[in-house]
Amino acid sequence: DTGVSQDPRHKITKRGQNVTFRCDPISEHNRLYWYRQTLGQGPEFLTYFQNEAQLEKSRLLSDRFSAERPKGSFSTLEIQRTEQGDSAMYLCASSPRASGKNTEAFFGQGTRLTVV
Amino acid sequence: AQSVTQPDIHITVSEGASLELRCNYSYGATPYLFWYVQSPGQGLQLLLKYFSGDTLVQGIKGFEAEFKRSQSSFNLRKPSVHWSDAAEYFCAVVQGYGGSQGNLIFGKGTKLSVKP
């Protein structure tokens, strides 16, 4: 098991373009989380999945953002019509249990998005 | 609403000196608490966690943290800092009653610099 994998590691895009990030969680982890981290801040929760079901979305997740986890394994996060304010590190995490209790999240190395 | 405060944005210590990073949380019930470390451009690595039981928890890399309910604190300590400990440290609490939701609320982080 190689841990949580995110692709790409870096993405530079022009304002207005669409981008998609992928996250491969640790095998058989039920829960998958997306966070956004801007410079000088801690990660902020965006959304999470339990298996293929998206159970919670933060108000940070505007209509331009959409996330999927179609087969309960990998997940994608798409940002449409990117804006400069979307520039951030996007972190994915997974945890091994169906419940959030008594469990820890394992993070990937993140995707650094720069919108120019 | 739950929140985490890390009062120190940046701390510098000499190599070999002791370290204490402060973390205060706001939560009505027993919190599930974590400390993560992040090296530049990388994801987050779990140092230690507190769910219940012994209020002094041991983690990796020689770190420990003490949960103090009366002070709503979960400070991170290390008796002797190594140059490789230079990084950013994040305290986090699990959102949701009893940790049921599972996503983390992070503090803004404390950047640790180590002087030779």
Side-chain angles (χ1 to χ4, degrees), chain B:
Chain B
Q2 292 158 282
S3 64
V4 174
T5 302
Q6 293 180 249
D8 304 305
I9 297 172
H10 190 186
I11 285 181
T12 300
V13 300
S14 298
E15 191 168 16
S18 64
L19 171 70
E20 183 169 28
L21 301 182
R22 296 183 291 165
C23 171
N24 293 97
Y25 66 89
S26 170
Y27 185 58
T30 300
Y32 299 124
L33 293 159
F34 302 81
W35 275 99
Y36 283 87
V37 61
Q38 185 178 39
S39 298
Q42 301 297 312
L44 287 84
Q45 182 182 21
L46 180 68
L47 287 176
L48 48 78
K49 60 196 177 191
Y50 172 77
F51 293 144
S52 64
D54 193 346
T55 57
L56 185 64
V57 294
Q58 302 297 320
I60 62 171
K61 304 184 179 185
F63 285 93
E64 66 177 26
E66 186 171 11
F67 171 63
K68 292 185 177 180
R69 184 188 301 276
S70 62
Q71 298 178 19
S72 297
S73 69
F74 187 57
N75 293 349
L76 182 71
R77 302 193 293 246
K78 187 170 185 178
S80 177
V81 168
H82 188 262
W83 64 266
S84 61
D85 293 324
E88 190 144 25
Y89 292 79
F90 293 95
C91 182
V93 65
V94 177
Q95 185 169 12
Y97 179 75
S100 59
Q101 188 160 318
N103 60 284
L104 297 166
I105 298 172
F106 286 87
K108 292 189 176 183
T110 297
K111 183 177 180 180
L112 174 65
S113 298
V114 180
K115 291 190 300 185

Side-chain angles (χ1 to χ4, degrees), chain A residues 31-45:
Chain A
R31 287 204 168 188
L32 186 148
Y33 303 86
W34 285 99
Y35 292 84
R36 182 176 71 185
Q37 184 180 21
T38 53
L39 205 60
Q41 301 294 317
E44 296 173 293
F45 168 70

